[in-house]
Amino acid sequence: MGRARIALFAGRAHPDLAAAVASELGTELGKCLVENFPDDELQVEIQEEVENRDAFILQPTSPPSAGRLLELMLMADACKRAGALRVTALVPYFGYARQDRRTRPGEPVGARLVAELMETRIDRIAAVDLHTPAIEGFFRAPTENLSAIPLLAEALRHDVSRSSVLVAPDLGAVKIARHHAELLDLPVAHVHKSRLSGSEVRVRGVAGSVEGRSPILVDDMISTGATLASAMKALLDKGCVPEFTIAATHGLLVGDAARRLADFPVTRILLTDSLPPPQFGTLPVRIVGLKGLLAEAIRKLSSGAAQPRPVAF
Ligand code: R5P
């Protein structure tokens, strides 16, 4: 079987990024209708010929995550029923990723459930900087965990100096900091954090040398900003230079996250466009585009022969 023609569709979560990726590929977005019925149910209609085509749907499952996920699933179902050879979900931000394990009895493993749900209609998944690589193991379908770290590190390169130090604001971010460190040749420090609730954390200590150094805080995501705010306070207490750079792949910035971060001397924040730009107020945010990374992923994923995978409806 030869190479199948691709059809790229955008859900409603991030049509601007989907359009940028289509333009990078020299193609146009496939026509589809995604609306809400008067009773709020989702209405989806693929208005493009997809029979025997390799379908891609770009949809970060960013807030409102449950609705975006269902939208993606309905689009995938519609593509399958219309005869697409294969459906690949491009999920630059994978919602529910932080529910990768149970921290208390009575909790679900949300990330696993979402992965299993996706697999009922989706043949392959490409995500960007999954909260933990362990999530790849939740999928039986081929999964690409693309990394935006090289792009962020490149954007940071001009601003680093000999006194810079990469700081992981929690243990989970140490691998991210090490990856940046390899690319930028900088030392690494990390903060010991305990999470008290969805929006509260406590710092237990800082490991590594930060006194007199300019911190570059790196993480996979900024949600409420509590992690970074606590880390910045701890770093100031340890005598760092009061000038923070922040780099994170996913900028959710929910609630009053922007105000929380603006209480600190933050000179630059680098985020990608894995999800639509958040409300960042007066924060000095610079967006690093993912269109090239995602377009390249589509090129690679579509280069093999597309084999239909039967789905039991
Ligand atoms: C946690 O493990 C993540 O890597 C982030 O540090 C965290 O999710 C950020 O959340 P928030 O901004 O609400 O502290």
Side-chain angles (χ1 to χ4, degrees), residues 94-311:
F94 184 89
Y96 285 86
R98 287 181 291 175
Q99 295 189 34
D100 58 318
R101 65 201 151 89
R102 299 197 315 157
T103 54
R104 276 186 291 276
E107 289 182 343
V109 182
R112 169 104 201 200
L113 176 64
V114 169
E116 287 176 1
L117 190 61
M118 283 185 176
E119 283 185 334
T120 61
R121 294 293 184 275
I122 292 164
D123 301 300
R124 298 180 307 186
I125 291 100
V128 181
D129 289 332
L130 282 167
H131 174 59
T132 158
I135 292 170
E136 278 187 66
F138 292 173
F139 291 98
R140 282 164 305 160
T143 307
E144 292 280 327
N145 185 14
L146 307 169
S147 179
I149 293 173
L151 295 173
L152 289 166
E154 207 40 54
L156 285 170
R157 190 173 296 284
H158 297 296
D159 296 318
V160 301
S161 72
R162 281 192 186 169
S163 70
S164 301
V165 58
L166 286 157
V167 181
D170 59 22
L171 284 177
V174 169
K175 275 193 178 163
I176 298 172
R178 291 215 178 108
H179 191 171
H180 277 285
E182 276 169 27
L183 298 167
L184 297 170
D185 193 22
L186 288 175
V188 171
H190 71 266
V191 175
H192 284 281
K193 168 189 106 175
S194 300
R195 186 166 280 287
L196 306 177
S197 72
S199 59
E200 289 169 305
V201 301
R202 178 185 298 151
V203 167
R204 301 197 176 272
V206 177
S209 167
V210 297
E211 190 176 350
R213 291 184 169 272
S214 303
I216 302 174
L217 288 141
V218 291
D219 208 347
D220 61 328
M221 69 175 81
I222 309 173
S223 182
T224 64
T227 299
L228 288 173
S230 313
M232 287 192 280
K233 183 172 177 317
L235 292 167
L236 288 170
D237 290 347
K238 290 279 179 193
C240 76
V241 173
E243 185 183 89
F244 294 102
T245 296
I246 295 169
T249 303
H250 312 295
L252 290 158
L253 270 72
V254 300
D256 60 359
R259 190 201 49 73
R260 220 169 193 170
L261 299 180
D263 284 345
F264 292 87
V266 177
T267 51
R268 60 188 78 82
I269 302 186
L270 265 58
L271 302 171
T272 76
D273 56 357
S274 66
L275 43 92
Q279 296 294 326
F280 44 75
T282 56
L283 288 173
V285 171
R286 187 172 145 207
I287 302 290
V288 173
L290 292 181
K291 64 179 181 182
L293 184 72
L294 294 168
E296 190 50 32
I298 292 177
R299 278 191 203 102
K300 279 194 190 144
L301 290 168
S302 63
S303 61
Q307 299 292 339
R309 193 176 74 127
V311 167

